Amino acid sequence: QAGFYPWGGSELVAQLAPGRPAGVNLLDRGPLTRIRGVAGVSGLDRSIARRMRRRAENRLEALGVDVAIEEIAWPSHRPGVAIALIAEHEGTVPATFVGLGERGKPSEAVADEAVKELLAFEAVPAAVDPHSADQLLLPLALAPGGSSYTVSQVTEHLRTNVATIRAFLDRDIRIEEPTNPGEPGRVTMVAT
């Protein structure tokens, strides 16, 4: 069930199998192989999802890869719209970019928001997108050995998550800031 700001109310059911995290070295990103996504509405006309999908597909066509965006209507207690675009590259984790609707914001602008982030990621030769960069920290901090990955943008979320993990775990986590615009940063978990 979807939940939209400010009311919330989303619900997700997940089943997780036991496992042990393992370190990774994600320094390079292979070629873009495809883009998939979801354009969704809740409590609103599905034509809004269609407009977001079409806008994103038109803007991403120049990348020359398969683009498949599903239109969906989510159950929710309140109205809302969102689009998620997932860029898949050889040799690394998928990168996800989201556009969120709000009252008075055209559906095309919602799609443009996600496309703009995706295109910015494609312009930097990093293995991991800025949203996944901070999400990878905790499992890698719990994994034995070292890990390292390049990131297209060093964000405040990334810095904050590093500081939070350091407050609870005795783990040496280093962030190397890019020296020039358009260069990737790097996160390293030093082997213990």
Side-chain angles (χ1 to χ4, degrees):
Q1 176 172 292
F4 295 96
Y5 177 84
W7 308 283
S10 62
E11 185 176 312
L12 174 69
V13 178
Q15 292 182 339
L16 303 174
R20 183 168 176 87
V24 298
N25 281 303
L26 300 171
L27 304 179
D28 298 308
R29 178 178 75 214
L32 179 65
T33 58
R34 75 175 181 152
I35 298 170
R36 57 188 170 89
V38 175
V41 296
S42 179
L44 297 168
D45 192 281
R46 281 188 77 137
S47 67
I48 296 168
R50 188 173 311 110
R51 288 172 42 208
M52 288 189 296
R53 177 187 57 81
R54 286 180 180 162
R55 178 64 164 232
E57 287 175 346
N58 289 338
R59 292 206 49 214
L60 295 169
E61 186 178 342
L63 294 176
V65 297
D66 179 46
V67 178
I69 302 170
E70 178 185 3
E71 295 174 18
I72 192 166
W74 291 302
S76 179
H77 298 295
R78 301 285 182 153
V81 302
I83 186 169
L85 302 173
I86 303 159
E88 297 180 0
H89 299 82
E90 286 182 17
T92 192
V93 296
T96 303
F97 307 93
V98 175
L100 298 173
E102 58 186 75
R103 186 179 293 278
K105 185 177 188 180
S107 58
E108 291 80 7
V110 177
D112 286 346
E113 191 175 281
V115 169
K116 180 180 177 183
E117 283 192 16
L118 188 152
L119 294 175
F121 175 66
E122 290 300 318
V124 178
V128 178
D129 68 273
H131 306 294
S132 298
D134 58 272
Q135 299 300 310
L136 288 172
L137 285 171
L138 184 57
L140 294 179
L142 297 172
S147 292
S148 188
Y149 57 92
T150 55
V151 60
S152 62
Q153 182 183 359
V154 175
T155 65
E156 285 305 311
H157 264 191
L158 179 62
R159 290 184 191 99
T160 300
N161 280 359
V162 167
T164 302
I165 291 168
R166 283 179 181 152
F168 291 93
L169 299 175
D170 184 21
R171 192 69 199 257
D172 186 3
I173 306 169
R174 300 177 185 167
I175 298 175
E176 296 173 37
E177 301 276 347
T179 53
N180 297 306
E183 290 181 351
R186 185 170 175 159
V187 176
T188 302
M189 299 275 177
V190 178
T192 54

